[in-house]
Amino acid sequence: MIDSHSQRACLALLAASTLALSACSDAGRTADTDTGSASDAAMAAGDGLAQGGETGGETAPAAADPVIPAPAAAASATFLALSDVHRLRDGHPCTGRTCQTSPAFWTATQTQAQALLSSQTPDFVIYLGDMPEHSIPDESERRPVLANVLDGLENIVSGTTTPLFYLPGNNDTVERNHGRGDFDYCPFTDHDRSVFNTVDDPTVWPVINGSADIIDRSRLTDGYYAARITVGASAAPLRILALNTNIYTADYSRCSDLVDAAATGSAQLDWLADQLDAATTANEPVLLAMHVPPGIDGHSGHSMWDDSLAYQGRDTALTGRRMQDVLLTYIGNHQPVITTVLAGHTHLNGIRRLHTCEATPGVSELLVSVPGISTDHGNTPGMKIFELGGGLEPVEVTTYGATYVEPPVDDYAWSGGISYGFRTNYPNTTPAGTSLLDQVDSLSDDARWVNMWGHLYVDDRDAAVPLDSDYEDAMDVHCTP
């Protein structure tokens, strides 16, 4: 009997090559073992501040040449993930370690990402949302910030054929939230306008260098879409499902009286079920990406998603269930083809084990959080390179972190920063090429928590491990009992 993780790897391998049939005959196989690790790669970096141009009144040191890391060991595919820039307006500097992103550091971050594209040659880049500074009071001030971040994302892959996928964060809206008094947590499109309308050519979004890869843009006005790309030397197909999970937050319903989060959220889950069914039929591995993850907010202890929001879609067996329960059900039902689950929003370097909704629940997937570029949640800026094994299961992820430069610079820099692999973050003795989920599951509950806490804020934590923490509870996402 092949276990569920082996089944998932085998189905994905079949999509990549008929030669994978022999690999699927090994019932003990949990992941491909022919790939190495990039966890010891040297730090990729541009200078920590901009190399000229508008810096919003900040002082930039002389430019330094990027420090280029050694190429990653062979992997079936790789990708770069970034999230939560929260770029400050020009002329609104912030002081200290816990700031949103300065214009200068956003420029430096683009240089850092370009260095990783050059050295690691990822198959694609994905950005998980949240572009502008929090609480900019006026739309006229938001528009140039939104445009600058979109242009910066496009700049990261400029001169390459590498696709860059964007999905919306809760700050990426153009409508004022009347319940909050700001521009957060509103529908992605308002009167036929979205953040894409802040740039010269809105039609190039949501995928740079890959518009032809979009296989379903019918719900792009609601902020979600599907794409299919080929990755790795074998040109294996990968279906990317970019969700808009801002819809499931309590603040989304406060935007205006016209918002019907239950109907909109249910429609997205029905669409997701269709996409997962199609991927299962085609034996296509799936990368599932979102901004706001399900589960508990480790900072507040409250639910990330609105627990009062009930599903009312076409699956009558699930009518009235929490939206989170429906998502977990669909993920559990399609576990063999879903290989990767990503989220942003928290700004932290955490993981969440997604549990099934069966009578005897098990863990179906590992959600990996991508840290923010912004440091206003107390984190160090970070980004990640994921390595996928032969079944397109993540088998390694290297986290790159910046470093704070004391005044008078008073900003972050990528040069002199840190990098570490998943096995440094979560030490384990599983064989090389084991999936991230199986690596995490090989640890005790205490070991998982202690190791996550150690790098939760990207850099090493000096503080003692909390004995009772909502962040520990947030590591597991369950259905309603």
Side-chain angles (χ1 to χ4, degrees):
M1 177 69 69
I2 298 178
D3 64 28
S4 59
H5 298 318
S6 301
Q7 180 189 14
R8 175 170 52 190
C10 291
L11 286 174
L13 281 163
L14 287 170
S17 171
T18 56
L19 295 177
L21 286 169
S22 61
C24 293
S25 64
D26 182 1
R29 182 182 179 91
T30 58
D32 198 21
T33 57
D34 62 355
T35 180
S37 166
S39 61
D40 296 324
M43 185 66 188
D47 189 83
L49 294 177
Q51 300 181 13
E54 178 61 45
T55 61
E58 299 158 71
T59 303
D65 292 334
V67 178
I68 306 299
S76 289
T78 61
F79 67 90
L80 171 64
L82 307 89
S83 193
D84 292 273
V85 167
H86 292 292
R87 183 194 183 275
L88 291 165
R89 290 163 286 173
D90 294 339
H92 288 75
C94 174
T95 59
R97 294 174 179 267
T98 56
C99 287
Q100 296 177 85
T101 303
S102 69
F105 186 62
W106 171 226
T107 299
T109 297
Q110 296 167 50
T111 303
Q112 159 74 359
Q114 289 167 339
L116 286 173
L117 256 67
S118 177
S119 63
Q120 306 295 317
T121 60
D123 292 271
F124 61 94
V125 181
I126 189 164
Y127 182 74
L128 299 170
D130 270 5
M131 298 187 289
E133 167 191 352
H134 291 286
S135 303
I136 299 177
D138 187 82
E139 183 180 359
S140 64
E141 293 185 278
R142 284 173 56 84
R143 290 182 64 85
V145 175
L146 291 165
N148 179 270
V149 178
L150 286 172
D151 288 342
L153 292 171
E154 186 172 6
N155 180 54
I156 288 173
V157 295
S158 177
T160 77
T161 58
T162 306
L164 183 144
F165 296 87
Y166 162 90
L167 60 89
N170 54 281
N171 296 116
D172 300 341
T173 63
V174 295
E175 181 180 1
R176 182 178 292 277
N177 188 312
H178 297 287
R180 289 173 51 94
D182 57 21
F183 286 88
D184 289 358
Y185 297 97
C186 278
F188 182 66
T189 302
D190 176 52
H191 295 91
D192 297 324
R193 296 181 308 125
S194 75
V195 294
F196 300 150
N197 294 101
T198 63
V199 297
D200 292 337
D201 185 5
T203 64
V204 302
W205 293 98
V207 184
I208 299 297
N209 293 339
S211 292
D213 297 322
I214 300 176
I215 58 175
D216 188 346
R217 62 170 68 239
S218 63
R219 305 310 294 262
L220 185 57
T221 55
D222 289 320
Y224 56 95
Y225 63 95
R228 181 192 298 111
I229 59 173
T230 56
V231 296
S234 63
L238 176 67
R239 185 176 295 230
I240 296 176
L241 303 182
L243 302 181
N244 180 5
T245 53
N246 311 304
I247 295 169
Y248 304 114
T249 63
D251 281 331
Y252 186 89
S253 296
R254 301 173 62 193
C255 182
S256 78
D257 293 338
L258 299 178
V259 169
D260 188 343
T264 305
S266 298
Q268 180 173 214
L269 289 171
D270 287 345
W271 175 90
L272 174 62
D274 289 341
Q275 288 292 329
L276 293 174
D277 286 345
T280 299
T281 299
N283 286 331
E284 281 180 359
V286 171
L287 183 153
L288 193 60
M290 64 194 77
H291 184 68
V292 182
I296 294 172
D297 179 357
H299 177 69
S300 69
H302 300 146
S303 177
M304 288 283 200
W305 290 15
D306 184 357
D307 287 339
S308 69
L309 202 61
Y311 173 75
Q312 53 184 231
R314 67 167 184 262
D315 191 340
T316 55
L318 296 171
T319 298
R321 296 292 299 272
R322 291 190 309 167
M323 297 291 188
Q324 176 174 297
D325 292 356
V326 178
L327 176 75
L328 293 175
T329 297
Y330 289 162
I331 289 176
N333 290 346
H334 297 87
Q335 178 182 357
V337 293
I338 299 174
T339 62
T340 309
V341 185
L342 305 175
H345 190 62
T346 65
H347 298 199
L348 302 180
N349 182 36
I351 56 173
R352 293 170 185 252
R353 297 194 306 164
L354 307 183
H355 292 252
T356 66
C357 296
E358 298 167 350
T360 304
V363 178
S364 62
E365 299 292 340
L366 183 72
L367 183 153
V368 179
S369 291
V370 175
I373 302 301
S374 173
T375 64
D376 59 315
H377 289 197
N379 58 294
T380 293
M383 61 181 71
K384 291 177 177 286
I385 288 277
F386 287 77
E387 298 178 35
L388 309 180
L392 301 190
E393 285 272 356
V395 296
E396 179 59 286
V397 55
T398 303
T399 301
Y400 297 87
T403 187
Y404 177 70
V405 182
E406 298 286 348
V409 174
D410 192 22
D411 206 344
Y412 283 84
W414 292 102
S415 54
I418 58 175
S419 67
Y420 51 86
F422 196 77
R423 289 175 184 270
T424 297
N425 202 155
Y426 300 92
N428 67 85
T429 59
T430 61
T434 300
S435 71
L436 301 186
L437 173 58
D438 286 345
Q439 290 183 53
V440 165
D441 278 352
S442 74
L443 302 174
S444 68
D445 290 346
D446 286 344
R448 276 193 295 271
W449 163 232
V450 168
N451 290 317
M452 188 181 82
W453 172 256
H455 291 88
L456 184 61
Y457 292 82
V458 179
D459 57 352
D460 293 329
R461 300 293 289 167
D462 295 328
V465 179
L467 297 179
D468 185 14
S469 171
D470 289 325
Y471 285 113
E472 182 177 7
D473 294 337
M475 293 181 71
D476 288 279
V477 183
H478 298 276
C479 281
T480 305

